[in-house]
Amino acid sequence: LWENPKLEMSAGKAMAQAGHAAQLAWWACDADERAAWRERGMAVSVRRAPALGDFDAKVAAGLPVVRDAGFTEIEPGSCTFVADAPWLAGRVFRA
């Protein structure tokens, strides 16, 4: 799960957004992928993208993206997190 390096979020906001990204990744999986993920303990890594270009490239690749509603700290429609996993490669997701 990659955090947008351009945005400043409180720890709680970032944790909530990361949780949403994990949920989107789960929904994007088929039954076999979910079973394999479960067998690996449902592990996830959360990191801030090293550069905005890296984050934008993942968004453009069609990976699951969290777009904030804008009710609290972030402007509406901002891409806060992107879910990137090997089993999601090559799929296209549009929010």
Side-chain angles (χ1 to χ4, degrees):
L1 308 176
W2 294 98
E3 182 181 358
N4 186 335
K6 180 176 88 173
L7 301 176
E8 292 298 324
M9 292 179 266
S10 67
K13 178 70 172 181
M15 289 168 36
Q17 297 296 294
H20 290 309
Q23 183 178 24
L24 292 176
W26 179 260
W27 287 344
C29 294
D30 64 28
D32 291 337
E33 292 161 340
R34 287 179 181 168
W37 195 3
R38 267 191 221 100
E39 289 172 13
R40 292 190 305 273
M42 301 291 294
V44 296
S45 295
V46 180
R47 295 186 174 91
R48 190 169 183 90
L52 184 58
D54 297 327
F55 183 84
D56 289 344
K58 290 181 184 307
V59 171
L63 293 165
V65 176
V66 179
R67 296 180 193 278
D68 195 76
F71 297 124
T72 57
E73 304 174 16
I74 305 297
E75 291 295 318
S78 297
C79 298
T80 58
F81 270 81
V82 62
D84 185 11
W87 59 90
L88 299 176
R91 299 182 188 176
V92 177
F93 300 92
R94 299 288 179 227

